[in-house]
């Protein structure tokens, strides 16, 4: 691995992270329908605490993806400008 320069190494890692991001994003898009169904189930059970917990978890997942996307964009820009 010592034959690869630092920008190439970072680019490779960013590419792998981006692949993971894409997979996570597509999984979450599929999961949104599940969240809707789960909220309705909890609503019928009058489980407001369960709905709040589910919404908090969903928000955390979306925030994580947004942060990860911003991280990839920031470092991709830095690597591309250093080449």
């Amino acid at each position: 691995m010592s034959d690869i320069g630092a920008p190439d190494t970072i680019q490779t890692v960013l590419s792998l992270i981006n692949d993971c991001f894409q997979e996570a994003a597509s999984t979450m898009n599929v999961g949104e329908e599940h969240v809707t169904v789960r909220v309705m189930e909890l609503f019928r059970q009058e489980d407001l605490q369960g709905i709040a917990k589910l919404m908090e978890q969903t928000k955390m997942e979306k925030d994580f993806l947004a942060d990860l996307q911003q991280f990839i964009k920031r470092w991709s820009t830095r690597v591309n400008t250093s080449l």
Side-chain angles (χ1 to χ4, degrees):
M1 188 157 200
S2 61
D3 294 339
I4 299 175
D8 292 338
T9 303
I10 294 171
Q11 189 63 41
T12 300
V13 171
L14 284 172
S15 178
L16 293 170
I17 292 172
N18 190 48
D19 290 347
C20 292
F21 167 79
Q22 296 298 330
E23 185 175 333
S26 66
T27 299
M28 285 194 59
N29 287 339
V30 171
E32 284 189 30
E33 185 175 316
H34 172 73
V35 170
T36 303
V37 170
R38 186 69 183 130
V39 166
M40 293 307 297
E41 290 172 357
L42 292 168
F43 180 77
R44 285 187 207 105
Q45 297 170 6
E46 298 179 9
D47 186 356
L48 297 180
Q49 191 174 33
I51 293 171
K53 185 177 179 180
L54 181 61
M55 294 295 93
E56 186 176 319
Q57 179 181 348
T58 301
K59 182 182 181 328
M60 184 175 61
E61 290 170 355
K62 287 181 180 183
D63 289 347
F64 173 77
L65 283 179
D67 288 348
L68 186 56
Q69 186 176 34
Q70 190 171 16
F71 173 86
I72 293 167
K73 182 178 178 181
R74 175 179 168 227
W75 281 95
S76 293
T77 302
R78 288 180 70 178
V79 169
N80 291 334
T81 58
S82 71
L83 296 177

